[in-house]
Amino acid sequence: DAGVIQSPRHEVTEMGQEVTLRCKPISGHDYLFWYRQTMMRGLELLIYFNNNVPIDDSGMPEDRFSAKMPNASFSTLKIQPSEPRDSAVYFCASSSTGGGSTDTQYFGPGTRLTVL
Amino acid sequence: QKEVEQNSGPLSVPEGAIASLNCTYSDRGSQSFFWYRQYSGKSPELIMSIYSNGDKEDGRFTAQLNKASQYVSLLIRDSQPSDSATYLCAVNKNTDKLIFGTGTRLQVFP
């Protein structure tokens, strides 16, 4: 299995631009999680999906952030417009059961976003 | 008060020693507890999970859980330089979500 795939691996953009991050979960996994990691705040859950349906988006910082999962093998996280404080590493993770189970959340390699 | 707290470190231990990493959590309803290891520039990977009070051993790793005191710890025996990483504690409150601590950076020196 190829594991969780994220693209791009690095993104540098200017303030005000739209940014789209992409994720392909492990085949057969029903749960998909989007996290953001910064030095100050650590690893924060932004939103998660179960069977392509958004279950909890309470971690999404503001309306500039949106996420979609049009099918079981693809999800996007969009930031529009981007701001310098959005600079972080964004991880996508998937699992075949929820985060509280005995199953493992498998993380993708992350996208390092820099907003100038 | 943060939901999951860890000392940021760095925790420096000599090769061959026992490294002890600690984590406290605020919600008494928390059910499941996890330790993730994250090498610099890499993604987190699960190394241990624990669900009931007591110790759970896996090779050189031992997770310890004390729900009454609301803490969970990770012991690494015979520490190796390759264990140098940031260790993230994660807690679940019987939902699908994990709440992560900010991590403790461990340095094992030869």
Side-chain angles (χ1 to χ4, degrees):
Chain A
D1 201 318
V4 177
I5 299 173
Q6 290 187 247
S7 65
R9 294 293 306 276
H10 302 274
E11 177 81 28
V12 180
T13 190
E14 292 187 346
M15 182 174 64
Q17 296 298 305
E18 177 180 295
V19 175
T20 299
L21 310 181
R22 297 173 177 80
C23 175
K24 175 178 169 53
I26 293 173
S27 177
H29 282 189
D30 296 333
Y31 284 81
L32 184 140
F33 305 83
W34 280 103
Y35 291 91
R36 177 174 68 176
Q37 187 173 41
T38 61
M39 288 294 292
M40 291 297 297
R41 301 174 66 89
L43 195 61
E44 303 173 283
L45 179 66
L46 301 177
I47 184 172
Y48 78 93
F49 296 82
N50 178 217
N51 291 320
N52 313 336
V53 177
I55 303 301
D56 186 341
D57 65 354
S58 60
M60 296 285 260
E62 47 196 277
D63 292 345
R64 297 184 297 106
F65 286 70
S66 62
K68 294 182 180 180
M69 192 165 186
N71 58 62
S73 59
F74 184 66
S75 177
T76 60
L77 178 67
K78 185 175 294 185
I79 308 172
Q80 166 64 19
S82 58
E83 297 183 2
R85 60 193 167 120
D86 301 331
S87 298
V89 180
Y90 290 81
F91 288 105
C92 175
S94 71
S95 70
S96 60
T97 56
S101 74
T102 57
D103 202 10
T104 302
Q105 282 192 28
Y106 293 88
F107 282 76
T111 295
R112 182 174 296 277
L113 173 64
T114 302
V115 183
L116 304 174
Chain B
Q1 181 185 8
K2 292 181 181 178
E3 292 191 75
V4 180
E5 297 211 50
Q6 297 180 255
N7 188 317
S8 61
L11 173 66
S12 293
V13 300
E15 184 174 357
I18 296 176
S20 178
L21 304 161
N22 300 310
C23 169
T24 59
Y25 58 94
S26 60
D27 191 332
R28 285 193 174 275
S30 299
Q31 299 285 325
S32 311
F33 308 86
F34 305 84
W35 283 100
Y36 282 76
R37 177 177 63 200
Q38 186 175 24
Y39 291 113
S40 180
K42 302 296 185 182
S43 56
E45 57 178 332
L46 180 68
I47 53 172
M48 289 286 289
S49 58
I50 187 167
Y51 307 95
S52 52
N53 280 329
D55 295 0
K56 178 181 178 183
E57 186 174 318
D58 183 1
R60 295 186 296 112
F61 299 96
T62 299
Q64 299 175 319
L65 175 61
N66 184 323
K67 289 186 177 181
S69 300
Q70 295 176 241
Y71 83 79
V72 57
S73 61
L74 179 69
L75 302 179
I76 306 175
R77 291 182 299 281
D78 188 23
S79 296
Q80 302 296 310
S82 59
D83 295 325
S84 298
T86 296
Y87 289 81
L88 303 172
C89 172
V91 173
N92 175 271
K93 298 186 291 185
N94 203 29
T95 68
D96 294 324
K97 302 194 298 186
L98 291 179
I99 309 298
F100 282 84
T102 53
T104 298
R105 188 157 63 95
L106 173 66
Q107 294 178 333
V108 181
F109 55 92

